[in-house]
Amino acid sequence: MDAVLNELVASGKITDPQSAKGRLMRAAAHLFKTKGYERTTVRELGAAVGIQSGSLFHHFKSKEAILLCVMEETIIINIARMHEALKHADSATDRLLALITCELASIHTDTGEAMGVLVYEWRSLSQDKQKYILQLRDEYESLWLSTIEQGKAQGNINHDGFILRRLLTGAIGWTTTWYRPDGNLSLEELAKQTLMLAIK
């Protein structure tokens, strides 16, 4: 685990990925991403981690609770990683590069499947839980929008902040269809090239 993940686990903010509950969440993220939340059964979730379906409820009250936890924890992890990356970035351009790098990493490394679930399955939650997840998402997005506004203030960005963020969201998200981490282009180089689309 990286330092940010270790700190989150130690403080009790997220589940230890190596624990039984953590393994269940990873399996759930995979199944929800590949099959869809509605089509994934509790039996399949249990089979994925080698336990009886009834044993799932030792960790979670319901299938929806698993979905909520997958979404909640991936946002918490990635917000924490963004804050850590921003500590080491001085200029607005460096800060924007840090966020682009973090978002690319979030969908191409350990939280990739959970991020996909977050994007495509949040409407499967009940309304009160949707509201909670959207509040967390707003915290995530506020880091982006404030960084873009800093870039505008420093004269490095001409674009409308909201539109630029939406365009970057789409461009970065679409990399899942063509980018290969084991290819010739590193994640860091891809982030730098993405940055050039955003700044003067």
Side-chain angles (χ1 to χ4, degrees):
M1 291 191 291
D2 60 49
V4 171
L5 209 58
N6 275 326
E7 186 175 333
L8 290 172
V9 170
S11 63
K13 293 178 180 177
I14 66 163
T15 304
D16 183 347
Q18 304 307 317
S19 68
K21 183 178 178 181
R23 292 195 302 274
L24 172 57
M25 288 173 61
R26 283 202 309 277
H30 175 71
L31 286 168
F32 294 160
K33 175 70 166 53
T34 55
K35 292 194 65 174
Y37 171 73
E38 293 296 341
R39 292 186 297 277
T40 299
T41 67
V42 171
R43 181 175 294 179
E44 287 170 324
L45 288 169
V49 288
I51 62 174
Q52 296 292 322
S53 57
S55 299
L56 295 180
F57 301 111
H58 171 71
H59 302 290
F60 296 99
K61 292 181 179 179
S62 64
K63 190 174 82 164
E64 184 192 36
I66 301 174
L67 178 64
L68 176 65
C69 198
V70 167
M71 293 181 178
E72 175 187 37
E73 292 201 4
T74 196
I75 299 178
I76 289 171
I77 290 167
N78 285 302
I79 287 175
R81 286 174 171 167
M82 289 161 69
H83 278 297
E84 181 62 25
L86 290 172
K87 288 180 187 177
H88 308 287
D90 297 323
S91 70
T93 299
D94 288 342
R95 288 171 65 84
L96 185 56
L97 176 61
L99 294 184
I100 291 169
T101 304
C102 283
E103 189 152 293
L104 282 167
S106 77
I107 63 176
H108 289 288
T109 60
D110 58 334
T111 60
E113 290 185 318
M115 285 292 283
V117 173
L118 176 63
V119 169
Y120 294 108
E121 295 287 357
W122 66 271
R123 290 180 182 84
S124 297
L125 294 169
S126 59
Q127 288 221 325
D128 61 324
K129 293 177 177 62
Q130 283 185 27
K131 183 177 179 181
Y132 170 63
I133 289 298
L134 291 175
Q135 287 172 341
L136 286 178
R137 190 188 68 179
D138 286 347
E139 181 182 348
Y140 180 95
E141 290 298 322
S142 71
L143 289 172
W144 276 93
L145 293 174
S146 63
T147 297
I148 290 170
E149 288 305 313
Q150 288 170 9
K152 290 178 69 176
Q154 293 180 11
N156 298 323
I157 294 173
N158 284 333
H159 312 289
D160 175 85
F162 178 82
I163 293 173
L164 177 58
R165 174 54 184 147
R166 299 282 76 73
L167 291 171
L168 286 173
T169 300
I172 292 170
W174 193 250
T175 63
T176 58
T177 67
W178 60 268
Y179 176 71
R180 296 293 174 265
D182 57 352
N184 295 326
L185 184 66
S186 71
L187 209 61
E188 291 74 20
E189 183 58 35
L190 178 58
K192 289 176 184 177
Q193 293 198 31
T194 306
L195 174 69
M196 300 311 294
L197 301 174
I199 63 175
K200 288 183 181 179

